[in-house]
Amino acid sequence: GAVVSQHPSWVICKSGTSVKIECRSLDFQATTMFWYRQFPKQSLMLMATSNEGSKATYEQGVEKDKFLINHASLTLSTLTVTSAHPEDSSFYICSATGQGDNEQFFGPGTRLTVL
Amino acid sequence: KQEVTQIPAALSVPEGENLVLNCSFTDSAIYNLQWFRQDPGKGLTSLLLIQSSQREQTSGRLNASLDKSSGRSTLYIAASQPGDSATYLCAVNTGNQFYFGTGTSLTVIP
């Protein structure tokens, strides 16, 4: 099946810094990518949907100026957590789907810890 | 490596029927298990989350059970409706990584 990778798999950063997480589709062109996060003991929640070449659509309650999403190519989407704070510590996971394909392929996730 | 399997791959039922979706996983060392709903072209919608210490969770017409020792979870949908038609995914969280099942495509016929 199609493979989606995320980098880094885990990251620890200081409060106030920005962190970039990459999501790549390795063997297919991902026209749509989804970003999710999961706080400890909570459900995985959709943050935003990004289509290649256009602005991401954010779910209610997700700050678009804090979580910058760029989907500049058909194989790469990035999520930048700007001015990270300890409450942003979470598990971030992306998924991708190809054109005309409803099947989603999920990345392994990135664990972010903000000190 | 954790492997997550969902059976059946597809299911078609008449409206009003109760149904069970199955999810099995190979490694019982899990942090939690989630059931998701996926509508075509949309992101996942979380349905139920079961922590490793829990046996079941309920939300409306949905009930999910977890038997960690046998590596099984079931999602029970009562009184199915056409609006329940979607793909249902289970995902196992080991604490470091998510492992997703391949999903069950459900069609509820009016």
Side-chain angles (χ1 to χ4, degrees):
Chain A
V3 178
V4 175
S5 70
Q6 282 186 239
H7 178 80
S9 57
W10 59 270
V11 57
I12 301 173
C13 69
K14 292 182 179 181
S15 183
T17 61
S18 294
V19 175
K20 180 183 285 187
I21 302 171
E22 293 185 350
C23 177
R24 293 182 183 272
S25 57
L26 299 185
D27 50 5
F28 69 103
Q29 293 185 325
T31 53
T32 304
M33 285 186 170
F34 303 90
W35 285 96
Y36 302 83
R37 66 181 171 184
Q38 182 180 43
F39 294 109
K41 297 187 178 181
Q42 294 185 25
S43 297
L44 191 70
M45 302 300 293
L46 179 65
M47 298 175 66
T49 302
S50 75
N51 294 297
E52 184 267 337
S54 60
K55 291 184 178 180
T57 301
Y58 290 80
E59 296 298 302
Q60 191 172 10
V62 178
E63 301 173 59
K64 60 181 179 182
D65 294 330
K66 181 172 181 63
F67 299 98
L68 302 178
I69 293 173
N70 184 292
H71 190 170
S73 79
L74 285 170
T75 60
L76 174 65
S77 176
T78 60
L79 167 67
T80 301
V81 183
T82 63
S83 187
H85 288 93
E87 57 265 31
D88 297 323
S89 298
S90 184
F91 194 85
Y92 293 85
I93 189 167
C94 72
S95 68
T97 185
Q99 187 173 14
D101 188 348
N102 291 324
E103 185 173 11
Q104 285 192 29
F105 302 97
F106 296 89
T110 297
R111 182 167 293 285
L112 170 63
T113 301
V114 184
L115 303 177
Chain B
K1 180 185 175 183
Q2 181 74 265
E3 291 184 6
V4 182
T5 305
Q6 289 186 246
I7 296 174
L11 182 63
S12 183
V13 300
E15 181 177 3
E17 270 202 11
N18 303 324
L19 57 100
V20 175
L21 307 181
N22 297 291
C23 173
S24 61
F25 46 96
T26 55
D27 189 342
S28 63
I30 67 171
Y31 185 64
N32 60 47
L33 183 146
Q34 286 186 257
W35 282 93
F36 295 89
R37 171 188 172 130
Q38 180 188 359
D39 292 287
K42 304 290 186 180
L44 297 182
T45 300
S46 179
L47 298 175
L48 290 164
L49 167 69
I50 310 178
Q51 302 293 347
S52 63
S53 59
Q54 297 175 323
R55 297 284 292 182
E56 67 176 337
Q57 284 287 318
T58 299
S59 176
R61 294 182 293 109
L62 305 179
N63 176 278
S65 67
L66 175 64
D67 184 341
K68 208 172 59 166
S69 61
S70 66
R72 293 178 185 174
S73 176
T74 61
L75 178 66
Y76 176 83
I77 303 177
S80 59
Q81 303 171 358
D84 294 331
S85 298
T87 297
Y88 291 81
L89 290 161
C90 70
V92 168
N93 183 358
T94 62
N96 295 312
Q97 190 166 332
F98 275 91
Y99 295 89
F100 286 83
T102 51
T104 294
S105 177
L106 172 66
T107 302
V108 180
I109 304 167

